[in-house]
Amino acid sequence: QVQLGESGGGLVQAGGSLRISCAASGSIPRINAMAWYRQAPGKGRELVAAISSQGSTYYANSVKGRFTISKDNAKNTLYLQMNSLKPESTAMYSCAANARKFRWPPPDFRSWGQGNQVTVSS
């Protein structure tokens, strides 16, 4: 239905900033919401941020005030601006599209990207 490709990950020093991107293709008009997830080694997958087609946003408590989710409809791209990065932010970040249920925040999505690594050094 929707194909997603992430980019922009890398190694960042603590306190630094990074913006990661997710380009979408396919059935773009049918996308009702998009989100960023992350998974650290030995831990479960965590919903970091989500944005609806209307622009409503959700943030995990651990990233509120530091991360900002946004989208550029003209470029069919989702962004996650990460500021004041901490070592505990180190994880594989994946984007997702099309919520399976009409619930906020969405409990699951239909389409997933492959993910990109973000590593924050001390």
Side-chain angles (χ1 to χ4, degrees):
Q1 297 182 28
V2 178
Q3 293 75 49
L4 305 171
E6 301 98 334
S7 62
L11 177 63
V12 186
Q13 293 184 344
S17 299
L18 190 68
R19 172 177 265 194
I20 55 177
S21 304
C22 174
S25 62
S27 301
I28 296 175
R30 298 184 182 276
I31 297 177
N32 54 45
M34 298 187 74
W36 286 101
Y37 283 80
R38 69 183 179 187
Q39 186 168 19
K43 297 184 178 180
R45 188 180 65 188
E46 175 190 19
L47 175 61
V48 177
I51 185 167
S52 71
S53 59
Q54 294 79 25
S56 298
T57 58
Y58 162 84
Y59 296 96
N61 289 332
S62 60
V63 305
K64 284 184 178 179
R66 300 187 297 111
F67 289 14
T68 302
I69 188 171
S70 63
K71 55 185 173 70
D72 186 332
N73 292 328
K75 297 181 178 180
N76 299 322
T77 302
L78 179 74
Y79 301 97
L80 184 66
Q81 178 67 46
M82 301 179 287
N83 298 327
S84 302
L85 284 165
K86 304 175 181 179
E88 51 264 41
S89 300
T90 296
M92 179 69 71
Y93 285 75
S94 301
C95 68
N98 287 331
R100 288 188 174 275
K101 298 180 179 180
F102 292 103
R103 186 183 303 170
W104 198 253
D108 199 8
F109 289 81
R110 298 181 184 274
S111 302
W112 295 83
Q114 295 182 349
N116 62 165
Q117 180 69 33
V118 173
T119 301
V120 184
S121 62
S122 301

